[in-house]
DNA sequence: AAGTGTCTAATTTTT
DNA sequence: TTAGACACTT
């Protein structure tokens, strides 16, 4: 072992090392042998295969603490990378807990993107950017691409900007710059224009002094490979590298890591190949599968002792994942023998499923379980609605995790756009967004004209605007409006220098008329928007300057939430990764839904394996009870479809499962032979004849007892209860109802205690006035 | 420039 | 079915 010399730093003292080696510190106590091995294997490449619930975070943090406490490196010489801000935050907190305030020196602990952004700020000019570059999000990215497509006269119906954005993202994830595209890739868009468009896009980004998420990494790679001295600087800086969730890294991230680790080789990657569920976003399971070949001499440590789940749950999950071929292989074990078997149930339809689960939630609650200990994990978000409706009806408190995130809300993006434009006049995307928000009489025609002039002269749109207000090209009214807008901008820009940006934000929102416009807005969302803006201003307080805040906004798309009320958690399987709950419901295990048909169509066997890992992630979230369910009939986009139980149901080891079915159908049976259930001949599961048509008929009969849409509204327009109607679900009890939308028809107001609903479908206007009855 | 009607596509989502 | 994008009025 040798320490690289770094002139700026004194070498660690030998006495510190000796002491650390002789007597293990407190923080090592309580680790099991495999965890300890993972903590102490410090030099050289290390792969820690950390199964679900094996204490990974503890190992990660202890390892960092150990490196620091043993004097091998100082906090700022460690590079620790995570995928999410949440993970980074958690790691920092836990290290602080072990080593105290010196953890603040860990300035290179963060997400791939935030660290890459920091590095890029220091060397931006090497890739043609200024150090105050803006980071565009997906929305900006798509708008920019749309403009390019329009300029290139490409039919944006046939070749949507979204698709191109996805492709460019994919290319960047693979580490390909425009000139590095393989010919085959080029053909993927607009008959071979992909590469040219990608190049145009990159040029536009450079002019806008902006980059997208993929660029952060890619520019880093460009800098490292073209400027050996810069890379050497980071080689000296980062003595030990640590990566969390290695199974989720994409090629670009892999290349970035390999470049940074290539000298010291002190790279520790922690991950679980069985929990790789982000392939569709560019993650390469191959990275983790190949680790030992990529880094010769690597140590591999397996964490296999599970502290989370009971043995039935663990065994069920293990049996399922064993079907996958591409995996490194682990055998999780636990001392918590026994417990409940995994319950698998077949029900008639989605409604029955949500009824069943809601009933069980209530039962669990009566038995003393807190709501917050219960999670419902779905494959796709459209499955959530059924549960929400049921829970609203039964007044079971719930939270839907996810949904549009704070910084993606329109009002927040508008507010931020003002700041961006104040910060950087070149930010045409921000200009375009807010030049007429709130409405100030600068219409589409005017904006297009401005953009055209801007592009023609190669200047930012705000410059073009400045020029045009001096001429009489615009109608007088529009010209005044634009001139006022520019004048306001200048004033704010002047203020930005001497007032705090939170104060500036308030001023801008007031003076631009943004808050006034919202106050006048009678729609039910307006109030919430105003509150969001208040929250925004509040959140700005913690940042030193505008630039730091804007970077935070681009890279940290979430806002820390206060402690949640006691509610059932509804979320997707993807969102559940890293979490655990005593009781987990896993609904919708039907072929085509889960595993998702689209995954299988698009990615074949690989896609199926990823779906199976998702199922594995789902089951392993459960501490004590996991309950899987599938419906024989399900409404998908309004159409009734017969469903087959997911193949994953069949793959669960029967010994760890307790199965029943109210449909009399479970797995195979005559007419379903092709399904090949393991339980085909098991009378316990009722193998009786059940054709899809027969089951559908049963379901329809059943459904007849549950009339559809009904909303109960008080005379003053407050919603008292909603039936299982989907459209009404957007409203909560107590909301004032102004406008309810039902498909093609809409409810426009309240008269007495009745709602009038007008439908306009196929040219025919109908008025239904018995839609609502008083509670 | 804002309001209304029509068409169409429809996972997972972090940064 | 239904949200959202877009085209077409007013």
């Amino acid at each position: 072992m040798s320490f690289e010399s770094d002139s700026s730093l004194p070498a660690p003292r030998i006495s510190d090392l000796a002491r650390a080696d002789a007597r293990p510190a407190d923080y090592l106590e309580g680790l099991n042998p495999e965890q300890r091995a993972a903590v102490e294997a410090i030099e050289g490449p290390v792969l820690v295969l950390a199964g679900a619930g094996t204490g990974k975070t503890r190992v990660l943090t202890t390892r960092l603490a150990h490196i620091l406490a043993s004097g091998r490196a100082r906090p700022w010489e460690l590079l620790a990378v995570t995928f999410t801000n949440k993970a980074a935050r958690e790691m920092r907190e836990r290290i602080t807990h072990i080593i105290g305030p010196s953890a603040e020196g860990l300035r290179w602990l963060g997400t791939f993107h935030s660290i890459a952004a920091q590095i890029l700020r220091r060397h931006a000019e090497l890739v043609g950017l200024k150090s105050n570059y803006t980071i565009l999000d997906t929305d900006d990215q798509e708008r920019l691409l749309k403009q390019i497509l329009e300029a290139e006269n490409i039919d944006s119906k046939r070749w949507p900007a979204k698709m191109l954005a996805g492709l460019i993202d994919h290319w960047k994830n693979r580490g390909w710059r425009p000139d590095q595209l393989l010919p085959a890739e080029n053909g993927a868009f607009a008959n071979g224009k992909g590469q040219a468009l990608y190049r145009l896009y990159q040029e536009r980004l450079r002019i806008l002094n902006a980059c997208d998420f993929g660029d952060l990494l890619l520019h880093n790679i460009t800098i490292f490979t073209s400027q050996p001295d810069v890379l050497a600087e980071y080689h000296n800086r980062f003595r030990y590298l640590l990566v969390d969730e290695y199974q989720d890294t994409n090629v670009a991230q892999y290349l970035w890591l390999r470049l940074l680790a290539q000298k010291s080789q002190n790279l520790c990657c922690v991950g679980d190949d069985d929990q790789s569920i982000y392939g569709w976003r560019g993650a390469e399971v191959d990275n983790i599968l190949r680790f030992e070949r990529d880094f010769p001499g690597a140590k591999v440590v397996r964490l296999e002792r599970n502290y989370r789940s009971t043995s039935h749950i663990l065994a069920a999950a293990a049996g399922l994942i064993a079907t996958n071929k591409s995996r490194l292989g682990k055998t999780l074990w636990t001392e918590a023998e026994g417990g409940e078997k995994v319950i698998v149930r077949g029900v008639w339809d989605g409604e029955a499923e949500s009824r069943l689960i809601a009933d069980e939630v209530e039962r669990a609650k009566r038995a003393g379980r807190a709501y917050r200990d219960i999670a419902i994990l779905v494959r796709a978000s459209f499955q959530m609605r059924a549960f929400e409706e049921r829970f609203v009806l039964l007044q079971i408190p719930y939270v839907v995790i996810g949904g549009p995130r704070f910084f993606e809300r329109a009002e927040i993006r508008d507010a931020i756009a003002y700041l961006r434009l104040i910060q950087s006049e070149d930010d045409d995307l921000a200009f375009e967004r807010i030049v007429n928000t709130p409405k100030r009489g600068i219409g589409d025609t005017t904006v297009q004209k401005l953009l055209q002039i801007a592009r023609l002269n190669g200047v930012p749109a705000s410059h073009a605007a400045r020029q045009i207000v001096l001429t009489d090209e615009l109608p007088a009214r529009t010209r005044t409006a634009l001139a006022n807008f520019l004048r306001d901008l200048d004033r704010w820009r002047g203020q930005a220098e001497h007032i705090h940006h939170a104060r500036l934000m308030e001023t801008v929102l007031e003076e631009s008329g943004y808050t006034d416009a919202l106050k006048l807005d009678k729609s039910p969302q307006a109030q919430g928007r105003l509150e969001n803006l208040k929250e925004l201003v509040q959140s700005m307080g913690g940042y030193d300057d505008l630039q730091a805040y804007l970077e935070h906004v681009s890279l940290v798309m979430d806002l820390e939430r206060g402690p949640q009320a006691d509610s059932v958690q509804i979320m997707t399987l993807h969102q559940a990764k890293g979490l655990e709950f005593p009781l987990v419901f896993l609904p919708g295990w039907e072929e085509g839904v889960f595993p998702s048909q689209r995954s299988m169509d698009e990615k074949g066997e690989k896609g199926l394996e990823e779906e199976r890992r998702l199922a594995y992630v789902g089951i392993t979230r459960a501490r004590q009870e996991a309950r899987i369910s599938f419906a024989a009939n399900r409404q998908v986009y309004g159409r009734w479809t017969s469903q087959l139980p997911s193949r994953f149901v069949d793959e669960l080891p029967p010994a760890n499962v307790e199965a029943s079915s109210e449909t009399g159908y479970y797995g195979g049976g005559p007419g379903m032979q092709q399904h090949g259930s393991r339980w085909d001949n098991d009378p316990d599961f009722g193998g009786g004849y059940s054709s899809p048509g027969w089951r559908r008929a049963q379901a329809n009969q059943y459904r007849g007892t549950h009339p559809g849409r009904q909303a109960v509204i008080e005379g003053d327009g407050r919603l008292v209860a909603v039936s299982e109607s989907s459209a009404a679900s957007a409203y909560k009890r107590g909301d004032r109802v102004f406008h309810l939308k039902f498909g093609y028809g809409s409810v426009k107001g309240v008269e007495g205690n009745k709602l009038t609903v007008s439908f306009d479908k196929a040219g025919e206007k109908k008025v239904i006035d018995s839609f609502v009855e008083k509670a």
Side-chain angles (χ1 to χ4, degrees), chain A residues 68-339:
Chain A
L68 295 173
S70 63
R72 286 176 169 90
R74 325 264 214 92
W76 51 91
E77 294 169 324
L78 297 181
L79 176 68
V81 207
T82 63
F83 270 85
T84 63
N85 293 294
K86 194 173 153 213
R89 217 156 42 216
E90 190 184 344
M91 210 189 288
R92 189 178 294 276
E93 273 163 23
R94 289 179 64 164
I95 297 173
T96 310
H97 192 73
I98 304 176
I99 67 168
S102 66
E104 274 165 36
L106 288 162
R107 48 175 306 248
W108 301 102
L109 186 164
T111 62
F112 273 102
H113 291 87
S114 73
I115 289 170
Q118 284 183 59
I119 292 178
L120 185 56
R121 288 252 181 254
R122 307 179 69 223
H123 313 282
E125 77 291 348
L126 296 176
V127 287
L129 293 172
K130 295 181 238 164
S131 76
N132 68 344
Y133 64 84
T134 16
I135 302 168
L136 301 188
D137 62 22
T138 348
D139 199 77
D140 294 322
Q141 196 183 357
E142 267 166 38
R143 278 190 302 144
L144 189 53
L145 284 169
K146 202 170 205 168
Q147 288 173 12
I148 292 173
L149 288 177
E150 256 160 45
E152 292 298 297
N153 270 324
I154 291 170
D155 179 8
S156 62
K157 268 250 165 71
R158 237 164 77 82
W159 304 104
K162 235 189 174 75
M163 184 181 172
L164 182 57
L167 263 175
I168 290 180
D169 224 45
H170 172 73
W171 292 331
K172 288 184 174 174
N173 285 340
R174 313 294 309 242
W176 295 331
R177 281 178 302 245
D179 49 316
Q180 294 166 312
L181 279 196
L182 299 172
E185 292 289 329
N186 187 29
F189 193 85
N191 311 318
K193 297 208 184 96
Q195 186 176 30
L197 291 166
Y198 183 11
R199 194 171 281 133
L200 278 172
Y201 172 65
Q202 290 306 117
E203 270 167 35
R204 285 290 293 153
L205 284 179
R206 209 169 37 79
I207 293 168
L208 292 172
N209 188 30
C211 67
D212 61 25
F213 289 124
D215 278 341
L216 293 172
L217 266 296
L218 209 51
H219 284 326
N220 269 230
I221 293 172
T222 309
I223 291 167
F224 291 156
T225 46
S226 65
Q227 310 281 330
D229 51 320
V230 176
L231 181 59
E233 187 190 327
Y234 289 98
H235 282 162
N236 289 332
R237 185 181 299 257
F238 301 138
R239 295 179 172 226
Y240 297 93
L241 291 75
L242 182 73
V243 188
D244 190 15
E245 307 279 15
Y246 188 61
Q247 78 283 352
D248 288 337
T249 47
N250 60 36
V251 175
Q253 287 158 338
Y254 161 77
L255 293 170
W256 186 82
L257 282 171
R258 204 181 58 179
L259 280 163
L260 286 172
Q262 113 199 333
K263 189 164 167 211
S264 75
Q265 293 285 308
N266 292 331
L267 172 66
C268 174
C269 294
V270 183
D272 181 0
D273 48 323
D274 290 334
Q275 293 186 69
S276 166
I277 55 175
Y278 285 106
W280 50 275
R281 195 169 90 182
E284 289 279 335
V285 214
D286 265 11
N287 286 348
I288 195 167
L289 300 177
R290 267 194 348 235
F291 188 84
E292 290 181 82
R293 263 179 290 151
D294 284 339
F295 298 94
K299 278 190 213 105
V300 179
V301 182
R302 284 182 160 74
L303 304 182
E304 296 179 307
R305 176 167 175 191
N306 175 291
Y307 294 92
R308 180 186 295 158
S309 312
T310 63
S311 63
H312 278 308
I313 290 169
L314 221 47
L320 176 79
I321 199 69
T323 319
N324 270 5
K325 293 199 188 79
S326 356
R327 57 192 295 257
L328 294 165
K330 279 187 295 335
T331 318
L332 295 189
W333 61 279
T334 174
E335 282 189 352
E337 281 300 324

Side-chain angles (χ1 to χ4, degrees), chain A residues 754-755 768-773:
Chain A
K754 284 188 175 178
L755 270 188
I768 302 173
D769 59 4
S770 58
F771 220 86
V772 172
E773 53 189 30

